[in-house]
Amino acid sequence: MFKHLLVPIDGSATSELAVSKAIGLAKAFDSKVTAIYVVDPYPFTGVGADFAYGQGQYLNAAKAAATEALANARKAMEQAGVQVTTATVESHAAWRGILDAADSGGADLIVIGSHGRSGIEKLVLGSVAQRVLSHTKLPVLVVRA
């Protein structure tokens, strides 16, 4: 039924649950899986020497976090016998990077973790899963803790 699953991860416990669900689905449907980690390449809006130095530090830390999270996802999937590829995606909005990766990679299901924020916290921090749901035509499985 589903031949290519896209699993966006962020290194959180919730995204690890999404990886586990994706493993079960991939085994059931003999699907391949792509795990992605979205990094905003330009999160700072300031200018000057301090900005440039902070930008480099941020990118190094973000890419290191992506590498670690993707390695953990790859290990879990390979141990379960699931065919997986991983990628770090650059996008100013995580939801946009997820949708672009789904389109370019030919995914037919997105399996995404949601932190379940509500109220003011959701208003301030937003919801990547909600935006993915609102802007895609693909089926989406939202995994919550």
Side-chain angles (χ1 to χ4, degrees):
M1 178 171 213
F2 298 110
K3 295 297 174 198
H4 187 185
L5 313 179
L6 180 73
V7 185
I9 61 172
D10 63 5
S12 68
T14 307
S15 71
E16 289 175 10
L17 288 173
V19 167
S20 294
K21 292 290 183 191
I23 289 170
L25 288 167
K27 291 177 87 167
F29 296 115
D30 193 30
S31 309
K32 66 180 180 176
V33 178
T34 300
I36 64 166
Y37 189 109
V38 181
V39 173
D40 182 350
Y42 305 106
F44 298 105
T45 57
V47 292
D50 289 338
F51 164 71
Y53 183 69
Q55 176 72 15
Q57 285 183 318
Y58 160 77
L59 282 174
N60 287 339
K63 288 179 180 179
T67 299
E68 181 179 353
L70 290 170
N72 290 339
R74 175 182 294 281
K75 181 179 178 186
M77 290 186 194
E78 286 178 346
Q79 286 178 342
V82 172
Q83 179 186 352
V84 61
T85 57
T86 61
T88 301
V89 175
E90 290 188 359
S91 179
H92 295 297
W95 67 270
R96 174 57 60 200
I98 293 166
L99 296 184
D100 290 346
D103 288 343
S104 67
D108 53 11
L109 176 68
I110 299 171
V111 181
I112 186 170
S114 175
H115 297 286
R117 295 184 180 107
S118 61
I120 297 292
E121 190 176 42
K122 183 176 180 180
L123 246 151
V124 173
L125 298 175
S127 171
V128 173
Q130 181 61 44
R131 289 202 174 132
V132 167
L133 283 166
S134 298
H135 291 90
T136 188
K137 293 180 181 178
L138 291 175
V140 179
L141 174 62
V142 179
V143 179
R144 295 185 68 179

